[in-house]
Amino acid sequence: MTSFPDGFLWGAATAAHQVEGSNVNSDFWANEGRMPGMERSGDACDSYHRYPEDMRLLAEAGLNTYRFSIEWARIEPVPGLISKAQLAHYRRMIDTALGLGLTPLVTLHHFTNPRWFAEEGGWLGERAIERFTSYVEAATSILDGVPYVATMNEPNMLAMMTGLARAMQQAQASGEWQSPTVENDNGARKPLPAPEPEIGKRFVEAHHAVRDIVRKRTGAAVGWTVANRAFETRPGAEEKRRELEYIWEDLYLEGSRGDDFVGVQSYSAQWVGPEGIEPYPPHPDNTLVGTAYRPDALGIAVRHTRDVTGGVPIIVTENGIATKDDERRIAYTAEALQHLAAAMDDGIDVRGYIHWTALDNYEWGHWEPTFGLIAVDRETFERTPKPSLAWLGDVARGGALPELAREATAR
Ligand code: IFM
C-alpha cells in the first residue's frame, strides 16, 4: 500500500516552551543558562502571538491536523490560582485550528512544569499527582470539540530527565557535580542515562488519574505519547534488549493499554549489545542531534508498539529529522512513511502521521538543530515555509506517497 485511508490525520506538531517564547514561570526557563553551552529560549518563535499564522501556513499547505501543547506554568502560575485569561488564550488557539479545518491534538504536559511545582519537589514530590490532576481539571474546561488529548509527552524521556535533575542536585549539594558531555572520547554520542522505573511508574499513575478526568469531562479520545528507541539486537544481546526495552518503552506502552490511542514518537534506531546500548557511531550521515539516519525506525517503533499495547490505535505524534538540508528532510520523511505504510499493510491500526515539527524551534537548550517544515527568522520572526512543507501537504491532500518515495525505499 502506498496510499493512506480517508480520514487519516496529516499534521505537524509543536510544544509550548519550544515555540511560544517568554515562558518565564516554567522550571525549564529557570534552568536555562545554568548549564554550560545551553542557550536560552527567550522569545522562541513568538508563537504565543503568531499562532494564527503558524496554523494558517499548515492548513494552506494541505495538512489537516495540528498538535500543540498548553502550558501549565501559564495556566496555574501559583498553586490553585487558575488564569482565566490564559485558558481563554488556549481556547482561541483551539478555535483557530478548528476554523482553519485543522484537527487539534492537544498535549496537556510537554516536559515543562510551573516553577512552584518544581520547588515543591516536582514529579518526585508528595503532592505531584494531586497537583497535576487539579491542573488537568481546570484545563478540561476549554477542551470542548477537541477530538484528541495527549496527557503527557514522552513520559519515558521525562523520567530520564527527572532522574538526571535529581542526581545533579544531589551532586551539586555535595560539590561533586561535573557537567555531562554529549560526546565520548572517540566523538560518538554518549548513550542517555536510563529512566528509573520507579519514576516511570509515577507517570503511569498520573496518566491514569487524568485519563479518566479527561474522558468524563470532554468527548476527546485520550492517550499519551511515548518516545520509541527502536532497539536492534546484536547476537547474544536478546536478554539485555528486553531489559532495556522494558525500562525505556514497555513500562509506558503497557501503561497505555486501555487508552483510546497511543502516540508513537520515532526518530532513529539504536543497537543493543550484551553490554548495553551502543553509542551512535560517528558518521557523516548522522543528524544535527547526532542520531543515526534511520527512517526505517518508524516501522520498527510502530510494530513494537502494537506488540506491547495489544493493538491500541496508533497515531504517529512525532517523526522528523534535525537537518539543514531540506531535500534530506523530504527523503527521510518519504522513507519513514513508506515503512509506516508497510506496517499498516500488515494490519497495524495507524490513524495519523504528525511531523515534528512545524517550525524551526528551541530544541531544549539549543537553536542549531533545525527540525522544522518552516524556517523562522530569529530577529524578525518572519516565517518561511520550506519545500518539505509543500511536499508533506501534497502527500496529505492526495493521501498517497509520490513515486519518488517508493523508489527511494526500493533502493
Ligand atoms: O524537540 C523534541 C520534542 O520536544 C520531544 N520529542 C523529540 C523532539 C526532538 O528532539
Side-chain angles (χ1 to χ4, degrees):
M1 180 186 94
T2 44
S3 60
F4 292 80
D6 288 346
F8 199 71
L9 303 174
W10 290 102
T14 58
H17 190 79
Q18 294 178 268
V19 296
E20 284 183 344
S22 299
N23 189 18
V24 297
N25 201 33
S26 73
D27 58 349
F28 204 91
W29 177 279
N31 284 326
E32 287 170 13
R34 285 195 192 154
M35 294 272 285
M38 192 169 168
E39 295 176 284
R40 303 214 58 134
S41 55
D43 288 324
C45 304
D46 193 28
S47 290
Y48 187 83
H49 302 105
R50 292 166 201 258
Y51 69 84
E53 182 184 358
D54 299 341
M55 293 191 203
R56 185 176 50 73
L57 290 171
L58 301 180
E60 281 174 3
L63 300 182
N64 61 32
T65 300
Y66 184 45
R67 172 181 175 225
F68 60 94
S69 70
I70 62 175
E71 186 60 50
W72 184 6
R74 293 190 199 271
I75 292 174
E76 192 175 4
V78 292
L81 181 81
I82 299 298
S83 165
K84 294 193 177 66
Q86 295 295 344
L87 285 175
H89 167 82
Y90 289 116
R91 182 63 226 180
R92 281 193 294 276
M93 285 188 72
I94 292 164
D95 287 337
T96 303
L98 292 169
L100 286 163
L102 293 170
T103 297
L105 190 159
V106 174
T107 308
L108 301 176
H109 184 278
H110 193 123
F111 291 162
T112 45
N113 305 298
R115 266 183 205 222
W116 60 261
F117 177 79
E119 282 157 12
E120 204 179 71
W123 285 103
L124 304 175
E126 275 177 21
R127 302 186 68 179
I129 294 180
E130 176 202 334
R131 296 296 200 191
F132 185 52
T133 303
S134 71
Y135 153 64
V136 172
E137 278 169 355
T140 54
S141 66
I142 56 152
L143 296 179
D144 215 31
V146 172
Y148 301 96
V149 171
T151 60
M152 301 182 90
N153 179 72
E154 295 183 353
N156 45 348
M157 300 307 278
L158 188 62
M160 184 269 290
M161 292 189 267
T162 305
L164 197 62
R166 183 181 55 190
M168 272 172 67
Q169 272 160 10
Q170 287 166 350
Q172 258 162 359
S174 65
E176 284 167 3
W177 175 252
Q178 288 185 337
S179 302
T181 52
V182 287
E183 297 196 332
N184 285 333
D185 290 346
N186 65 1
R189 235 173 99 93
K190 215 176 191 174
L192 298 164
E196 291 170 37
E198 284 318 307
I199 302 178
K201 284 178 192 162
R202 180 156 269 229
F203 290 139
V204 173
E205 196 191 330
H207 169 59
H208 289 166
V210 301
R211 174 178 70 187
D212 295 339
I213 293 169
V214 178
R215 272 187 180 147
K216 273 194 204 117
R217 295 181 174 217
T218 77
V222 190
W224 67 354
T225 68
V226 179
N228 285 261
R229 306 289 307 265
F231 288 131
E232 294 186 293
T233 325
R234 298 282 186 209
E238 282 77 10
E239 203 181 316
K240 192 73 192 169
R241 194 209 67 226
R242 273 195 295 276
E243 179 197 314
L244 288 165
E245 224 158 40
Y246 176 76
I247 293 172
W248 275 102
E249 292 174 7
D250 296 0
L251 171 62
Y252 305 88
L253 295 174
E254 286 171 10
S256 76
R257 291 181 190 153
D259 287 2
D260 304 308
F261 73 92
V262 55
V264 166
Q265 312 211 148
S266 168
Y267 292 86
S268 185
Q270 205 157 13
W271 286 98
V272 174
E275 305 307 319
I277 301 174
E278 295 179 4
Y280 299 109
H283 193 273
D285 236 11
N286 285 5
T287 71
L288 288 175
V289 286
T291 52
Y293 181 86
R294 291 292 303 270
D296 61 318
L298 185 57
I300 302 172
V302 159
R303 288 170 200 278
H304 181 69
T305 300
R306 187 272 316 266
D307 291 348
V308 180
T309 62
V312 174
I314 289 171
I315 300 174
V316 177
T317 39
E318 286 185 24
N319 172 250
I321 177 172
T323 177
K324 288 191 197 321
D325 179 352
D326 200 51
E327 289 280 310
R328 199 164 156 69
R329 186 178 337 278
I330 294 172
Y332 173 93
T333 309
E335 201 171 331
L337 283 170
Q338 197 67 43
H339 288 282
L340 184 66
M344 291 170 71
D345 259 356
D346 290 344
I348 299 182
D349 181 1
V350 182
R351 309 278 172 96
Y353 173 87
I354 302 177
H355 193 82
W356 184 267
T357 177
L359 307 167
D360 285 343
N361 63 36
Y362 180 67
E363 177 59 18
W364 305 111
H366 303 278
W367 281 99
E368 202 220 345
T370 41
F371 283 89
L373 299 166
I374 301 169
V376 179
D377 183 312
R378 300 265 334 280
E379 296 297 317
T380 64
F381 306 110
E382 189 188 346
R383 274 76 170 136
T384 308
K386 302 179 190 176
S388 53
L389 177 62
W391 180 88
L392 189 61
D394 284 348
V395 172
R397 280 203 175 98
L401 283 170
E403 279 311 310
L404 173 76
R406 268 174 270 155
E407 283 162 19
T409 32
R411 278 199 297 271

